[in-house]
Amino acid sequence: MAECFLMEVCVDSVESAVNAERGGAGRLELCSSLLEGGLTPSLACSDAASAKRGVLHVVKQYVKIPIYVMIRPRGGDFLYSDLEVDVMRKDIELMKSQGADGLVLGALTEDGRVDAELCMELLAAARPLPVTFHRVALEALISLGFERVLTSGCDSSALEGLPLIKRLVDQAKGRIIIMPGGGITERNLQRILEGSGAQEFHCSARSSRESAMKFRNTCVSMGASFSAPEYGLKVADVSKVRTLNAIAKNTL
C-alpha cells in the first residue's frame, strides 16, 4: 500500500540532509541559517572552476530525494528592495542550473499582503520548477500558481495555529497543498495531522551535538549574543525523523 503522506525536513547542512533521508524524509527544504528562519544556501560562482562548490551540489551527490531550495536573501521581513530582488532572481537562476527540484520563497507588500506582482515575476523565473510559498494568503497563492503553502497557521507553532490550518485545508479543496510546519515534534505530530487533515508536514527533527573542537576560546564568539552556540551543533536526527515518519504512517 502506498504511503499517503509526505514528510519534508528543513536542513542547513549536508549531514542533516543525509540523516533526514536515512530517517525516511520524502523531501528536503535546503537552506542556511535556520536560526534566522532559513536563508538561501551557498552556491558556486558562475565560473566552471568554482561550480562544484556549494551545499546544493554536495547534497545532491549524497541524497536521492527531491530538494527544494530556499530563496531568501536575508533574515527579517519579506518586504524586499530592488537590489534584494536582483539577488533573488540570480539565486533562482543558479539553483535551477545546479539541479534544484523546487524552490521555496515568499514576498509581501508593506501592508502585509502577498506581493502578487513580484511573486508572478519570481514564479516565471522559477519555471518549470514547482514553488512553495512560506506564508498564508490562500486564494492569491492559488491564482498565482504556487504548488503548496508552508504555514504555522499564522501562530507561533503549527499546534497553536491548528484551527486555521484546518480551515485552509478545507478551503484549498486540493487546489494547493497545505503543509503545516513550525514546532512539529513527535509529541504533537499526530494531533496536528488528525486535526488539520493535511497530507504533508514540515519539520527540522534536529538534536544538539557537542563540537569536536578541543581548543575553545570562550571570550570571543562569532556573531551576536543571540547566535547559536559556537561549540554546539544542531543536525537532523535520524531517529527523530524515523519516529515522525512512523507516527505519520500510523496516523494517515
Side-chain angles (χ1 to χ4, degrees):
M1 181 177 172
E3 294 179 348
C4 59
F5 70 92
L6 187 142
M7 170 170 46
E8 177 181 273
V9 178
C10 53
V11 300
D12 59 0
S13 69
V14 178
E15 180 180 1
S16 286
V18 171
N19 287 350
E21 183 178 57
R22 285 177 57 199
R27 184 174 61 236
L28 301 178
E29 179 193 272
L30 182 64
C31 58
S32 65
S33 192
L34 279 173
L35 190 64
E36 294 188 83
L39 304 177
T40 306
S42 69
L43 189 59
C45 300
S46 58
D47 59 286
S50 60
K52 300 301 181 183
R53 297 198 293 268
V55 67
L56 173 60
H57 185 93
V58 178
V59 167
K60 286 189 70 70
Q61 290 179 320
Y62 288 95
V63 306
K64 303 300 181 186
I65 58 177
I67 302 168
Y68 279 37
V69 178
M70 175 73 80
I71 303 296
R72 187 179 177 214
R74 56 157 173 78
D77 62 34
F78 295 88
L79 178 64
Y80 296 116
S81 69
D82 291 343
L83 291 175
E84 289 166 339
V85 171
D86 285 344
V87 172
M88 295 172 78
R89 288 195 202 98
K90 187 61 178 178
D91 282 339
I92 289 171
E93 177 186 331
L94 289 170
M95 294 303 174
K96 286 174 65 177
S97 71
Q98 290 297 304
D101 297 293
L103 302 173
V104 183
L105 57 87
L108 302 177
T109 61
E110 61 183 10
D111 57 358
R113 294 176 299 166
V114 173
D115 189 333
E117 183 177 352
L118 176 53
C119 285
M120 287 180 65
E121 179 185 338
L122 296 177
L123 280 167
R127 290 192 184 101
L129 297 186
V131 180
T132 297
F133 190 92
H134 51 93
R135 281 293 185 271
V136 176
L138 201 61
E139 295 302 327
L141 301 181
I142 291 169
S143 65
L144 286 169
F146 281 93
E147 180 181 75
R148 70 175 46 76
V149 56
L150 168 59
T151 178
S152 63
C154 295
D155 217 316
S156 57
S157 70
L159 185 60
E160 296 294 325
L162 190 53
L164 177 56
I165 295 172
K166 175 66 167 72
R167 290 199 299 272
L168 291 171
V169 171
D170 292 342
Q171 180 184 346
K173 292 184 173 62
R175 296 175 296 161
I176 191 170
I177 298 165
I178 307 299
M179 181 168 60
I184 291 181
T185 69
E186 49 269 58
R187 293 186 299 276
N188 60 29
L189 175 60
Q190 181 175 350
R191 183 176 169 189
I192 290 168
L193 293 178
E194 289 178 342
S196 67
Q199 299 294 303
E200 298 189 6
F201 66 98
H202 173 96
C203 60
S204 63
R206 296 195 297 171
S207 290
S208 298
R209 191 186 70 212
E210 273 289 295
S211 166
M213 284 286 295
K214 293 180 179 178
F215 170 79
R216 301 190 180 195
N217 185 347
T218 57
C219 296
V220 180
S221 63
M222 291 290 290
S225 58
F226 60 83
S227 300
E230 189 169 340
Y231 300 109
L233 306 173
K234 283 187 175 290
V235 295
D237 186 315
V238 175
S239 63
K240 284 190 175 185
V241 176
R242 284 178 177 158
T243 298
L244 290 162
N245 203 39
I247 291 169
K249 183 181 293 185
N250 291 331
T251 302
L252 298 173

